[in-house]
Amino acid sequence: MIQSPKRLRTLLIASLLGNVFLIGAVAGGVYQWSSHPRAQGAMVQHGLRQALAQLPEARRNQLRHMLRETRAGNQPLIMASREAHQDVVRRLKAPALDRNALDEDLDRARAADITLRTRVDATLADFAASLPADERQTLADAMTARRQGKRASPVND
């Protein structure tokens, strides 16, 4: 099957343009991938997870154990929070909105969440009280790193 020179030239130009586009896309992808530094580990961590990663292994295990005990001791509260949140969703999906009942469910969910957060914070405070000053500083730095970002510097007390 012999093709005309004009048709071959058109196919050659289309192939060349396609290859240039493909090479540009690959080069751009490689540039994007290599120009953005990756964090150590699979995902960027913040807050308590980042704090755990910064602590020595023994302290990390101690805090995990304390948090597990707090979670186990507060299972009824965790279940109450989940149930209240599910009730909120059910109220929102209902054909007619009962605003008073929705407000009550939101209040129950908020109260359970605040109580649970208070207990976790108390556990964290108990843990921090057991740390030497340098490890406490590491814990504080790790927990505030995301909030402060690049614009703020650590507070020295």
Side-chain angles (χ1 to χ4, degrees):
M1 170 154 130
I2 300 175
Q3 297 181 356
S4 70
K6 187 175 182 180
R7 180 156 168 88
L8 283 176
R9 194 168 87 190
T10 303
L11 288 175
L12 180 63
I13 290 171
S15 175
L16 183 64
L17 288 174
N19 286 331
V20 166
F21 176 76
L22 183 60
I23 290 169
V26 169
V30 168
Y31 172 75
Q32 285 289 335
W33 180 69
S34 65
S35 68
H36 292 86
R38 301 287 179 237
Q40 299 284 59
M43 68 179 198
V44 176
Q45 298 178 338
H46 54 83
L48 197 51
R49 289 178 192 246
Q50 182 178 357
L52 277 169
Q54 300 293 322
L55 292 172
E57 186 68 28
R59 295 295 189 180
R60 190 178 319 155
N61 290 336
Q62 179 186 2
L63 180 56
R64 282 186 185 137
H65 179 74
M66 291 174 75
L67 291 171
R68 281 189 196 115
E69 285 178 350
T70 300
R71 181 177 176 191
N74 288 292
Q75 279 300 316
L77 187 59
I78 293 169
M79 295 306 295
S81 173
R82 284 184 188 154
E83 184 179 311
H85 284 281
Q86 289 171 351
D87 290 345
V88 167
V89 171
R90 276 193 287 273
R91 299 261 186 231
L92 292 172
K93 287 182 178 180
L97 180 65
D98 181 352
R99 178 61 193 259
N100 292 331
L102 177 64
D103 287 341
E104 289 174 10
D105 292 338
L106 287 168
D107 287 341
R108 281 189 309 123
R110 186 180 316 107
D113 291 345
I114 289 171
T115 303
L116 185 59
R117 175 64 188 259
T118 301
R119 292 179 184 173
V120 169
D121 288 349
T123 299
L124 186 58
D126 291 342
F127 173 73
S130 72
L131 296 176
D134 61 327
E135 289 179 359
R136 236 182 8 262
Q137 182 67 41
T138 301
L139 179 67
D141 290 345
M143 291 184 71
T144 59
R146 183 171 184 243
R147 287 188 191 132
Q148 289 179 349
K150 295 177 185 176
R151 60 176 168 61
S153 61
V155 176
N156 294 327
D157 289 331

